[in-house]
Amino acid sequence: MSNRQKSILTADADALRRADDVVGRLGLPNEGIEVTDPGTAEVIAHVPDVGRDGITSMMASADRAGASWARTTPRERSNILHRWWELLVEHSEDLALLITREMGKTLAEAKGEVKYGSDFVRWYAEEAVRAGGNFQEAPDGGSRIVTRRSPVGLSVLITPWNFPLAMATRKIAPALAAGCSVVIKPATATPLTTYFAVQLAREAGVPADLVHVITTSSSRTMSETALRDPHARKVSFTGSTEVGRTLLGLASERVLRTSMELGGNAPLLVFDDADLDRAVDGVFAAKMRNGGQSCIAANRIYVQDGIADDFVAAFRQKIASVRMGHGLSEGAHLGPLVSPRAVTDMEAIVAGAISEGAELLEGGNAPEGDGSFFSATLLDHVRPDSAISGSEIFGPIAAIQRFTTEEEAIQRANDTEFGLAGYVFTESLDRAFRVSDAIQCGLVGINQGVPSNAAAPFGGVKQSGLGREGGSEGLEEYQNIRFYNIAAR
């Protein structure tokens, strides 16, 4: 581990002050669930701990507001969403400071998330006026078939901690565009960004009771109460496959509509004919973005034999140049992990991989000091049958495996119960499509490490989930389809 990686850059005092000013403007209570800065281990806020009765009350309130919202015109909803987007852009600096303070990612990455998260609101402001429908003649000519779309109704949204703005807007915006009301439960580690974003939505004209934020110390109480509530019509969840299975079981009791974006174990394939510089940069982005704390992070990096040595050497230089620090420190490339438990998990993953034959080239430990930091880590010669190959790392550990043939790479890429994202680096157009078609996943990045886009459908196959978010498909998740059969004269 280099000396540069050992030192932790401290937060800029002025940036901390500005971030805490944003927290202060949220009007939160002085007691309740603690929210901690993972870069300093400091408690920065408290949020309400809502119990069963409070959840029930919010569900009823949102449902009542939803009845009026469903009767608004698509243009009315579109105008309000456009205004919300404008406010998000106007407050982009405040949002980025807040994301970094409660989640830990660097300010530069937080600004990127604000842009990404805001794009969902703009996209669904535009989609609101394209709600869909169809008219056709019945095959026997005896009638006319008309289909139309209507809002599903009260939607229960449950979001993770790793992208606190983007995961919220990716769910709230299509729900509102479709004419639905919402209760949203953010992760207890990162609720502040959601509170701020919803405040801005209300300033934009979203009725106060239409969107409720629920923070609670008992996720089980929240899920059981909300999903069994008679007003609930849909649940959308982003998180682990294990929790997703539990929610699907609860949703089945009342046959709720479901969208599930669950765990990932993304394969990334670098072929001999890849552009080396582009592959190194792309793999670094796919692996180290958000400190590796992303469901689509490159989890298993397969590099073909002919390019492997050169790739590993170049990638090692890039890893060695990473500077760790508080997300509000100038010059930091890698912020803290979300919690001390995450650091412990990374230590165990690295130790396990080494015990199973992997070679540690860079990083691999947690530096001393406050905060939940773990160094950017590079492992080479990882065995295909090792534990690290079968688990979602969710941290800044790049695990390199080597392969010889295309068929071998595809077989190993698909040797998982998950199927969220995959990546392919090659200069051959034929191979790019051939391999992308063969990988069992919901989205593929070809010669790039950040494939997500608000205009595109995001979701997985196999144990990685159901449904899609983003794109026109994301609006359909919040719509019912009804058809009218009109007799022909």
Side-chain angles (χ1 to χ4, degrees):
M1 184 175 179
S2 67
N3 291 330
R4 181 173 289 179
Q5 285 179 303
K6 287 180 180 178
S7 63
I8 301 175
L9 301 173
T10 56
D12 178 79
D14 180 62
L16 279 176
R17 179 190 57 76
R18 288 184 287 123
D20 290 343
D21 285 345
V22 179
V23 175
R25 297 203 303 268
L26 295 178
L28 296 168
N30 294 322
E31 58 183 18
I33 302 171
E34 293 182 348
V35 182
T36 303
D37 180 338
T40 62
E42 170 193 4
V43 175
I44 57 173
H46 295 82
V47 293
D49 190 353
V50 180
R52 193 178 302 274
D53 290 345
I55 296 167
T56 299
S57 175
M58 290 181 182
M59 294 284 289
S61 172
D63 186 65
R64 287 192 297 271
S68 298
W69 184 252
R71 291 193 294 270
T72 58
T73 67
R75 180 58 66 194
E76 289 176 290
R77 298 195 293 273
S78 174
N79 288 341
I80 289 174
L81 286 169
H82 270 297
R83 178 56 183 150
W84 186 22
W85 171 71
E86 291 169 352
L87 288 173
L88 290 170
V89 173
E90 182 181 330
H91 292 274
S92 58
E93 182 74 16
D94 289 342
L95 284 162
L97 289 166
L98 198 55
I99 290 169
T100 296
R101 191 73 159 117
E102 68 172 342
M103 186 267 153
K105 69 181 66 177
T106 65
L107 187 59
E109 287 203 348
K111 289 177 179 179
E113 182 186 341
V114 174
K115 171 65 168 61
Y116 178 50
S118 301
D119 279 349
F120 284 107
V121 179
R122 177 167 58 172
W123 175 261
Y124 285 110
E126 297 163 348
E127 286 293 291
V129 295
R130 296 191 286 268
N134 194 25
F135 173 88
Q136 67 187 78
E137 182 179 4
D140 62 7
S143 63
R144 305 292 183 266
I145 296 172
V146 176
T147 62
R148 67 180 298 269
R149 298 180 184 273
S150 59
V152 168
L154 176 58
S155 300
V156 179
L157 313 179
I158 304 174
T159 58
W161 50 263
N162 55 340
F163 290 91
L165 179 67
M167 297 300 97
T169 55
R170 193 164 75 179
K171 297 179 189 294
I172 296 173
L176 297 184
C180 301
S181 56
V182 162
V183 296
I184 180 167
K185 178 199 170 297
T188 54
T190 58
L192 306 181
T193 303
T194 301
Y195 274 112
F196 190 21
V198 170
Q199 276 189 11
L200 295 178
R202 289 170 180 163
E203 287 182 29
V206 173
D209 291 335
L210 191 69
V211 180
H212 283 285
V213 180
I214 298 176
T215 47
T216 177
S217 59
S218 175
S219 296
R220 179 175 180 177
T221 297
M222 164 64 191
S223 56
E224 290 181 350
T225 303
L227 271 59
R228 287 172 173 159
D229 189 285
H231 302 104
R233 293 292 178 267
K234 175 182 172 62
V235 57
S236 176
F237 169 71
T238 298
S240 72
T241 297
E242 181 181 6
V243 174
R245 291 190 188 108
T246 299
L247 295 177
L248 284 168
L250 287 170
S252 71
E253 295 178 10
R254 299 194 56 254
V255 197
L256 301 181
R257 286 279 294 273
T258 60
S259 299
M260 295 279 151
E261 194 250 289
L262 307 178
N265 188 5
L268 187 153
L269 282 58
V270 180
F271 288 94
D272 285 348
D273 63 351
D275 179 287
L276 181 61
D277 291 338
R278 183 156 69 169
V280 168
D281 289 343
V283 175
F284 186 85
K287 175 67 260 183
M288 294 298 168
R289 173 176 173 246
N290 212 39
Q293 300 171 116
S294 169
C295 55
I296 62 170
N299 212 54
R300 297 167 294 145
I301 303 171
Y302 301 107
V303 186
Q304 198 164 19
D305 291 333
I307 198 175
D309 287 343
D310 290 340
F311 175 87
V312 170
F315 197 74
R316 182 175 185 175
Q317 287 186 339
K318 203 165 182 70
I319 290 287
S321 70
V322 171
R323 302 179 72 190
M324 254 188 312
H326 190 284
L328 296 180
S329 62
E330 187 175 351
H333 306 133
L334 177 65
L337 299 182
V338 71
S339 68
R341 178 180 175 180
V343 174
T344 301
D345 290 343
M346 294 305 106
E347 290 174 327
I349 287 172
V350 171
I354 293 172
S355 71
E356 293 180 305
E359 180 183 357
L360 177 64
L361 299 182
E362 289 288 333
N365 60 6
E368 295 180 0
D370 295 331
S372 304
F373 291 91
F374 192 82
S375 57
T377 298
L378 177 60
L379 295 167
D380 195 10
H381 298 290
V382 172
R383 288 175 47 182
D385 58 349
S386 61
I388 193 174
S389 297
S391 58
E392 188 173 19
I393 297 173
F394 237 69
I397 301 171
I400 308 295
Q401 300 183 38
R402 304 184 181 215
F403 71 92
T404 302
T405 68
E406 180 180 307
E407 293 73 19
E408 175 193 358
I410 292 170
Q411 187 277 323
R412 287 162 66 180
N414 290 334
D415 187 19
T416 175
E417 65 178 350
F418 299 104
L420 185 55
Y423 302 84
V424 178
F425 285 82
T426 176
E427 291 299 289
S428 166
L429 184 62
D430 287 343
R431 171 176 275 166
F433 280 102
R434 183 172 63 247
V435 174
S436 296
D437 287 346
I439 297 176
Q440 299 164 357
C441 61
L443 60 148
V444 181
I446 300 176
N447 290 327
Q448 63 162 308
V450 185
S452 304
N453 192 288
F458 185 103
V461 299
K462 298 195 288 188
Q463 296 290 315
S464 287
L466 304 166
R468 293 295 183 268
E469 295 184 311
S472 59
E473 294 85 352
L475 184 66
E476 295 169 3
E477 296 284 342
Y478 294 89
Q479 294 175 318
N480 288 324
I481 299 175
R482 177 182 300 164
F483 99 91
Y484 305 87
N485 198 323
I486 305 169
R489 289 184 175 275

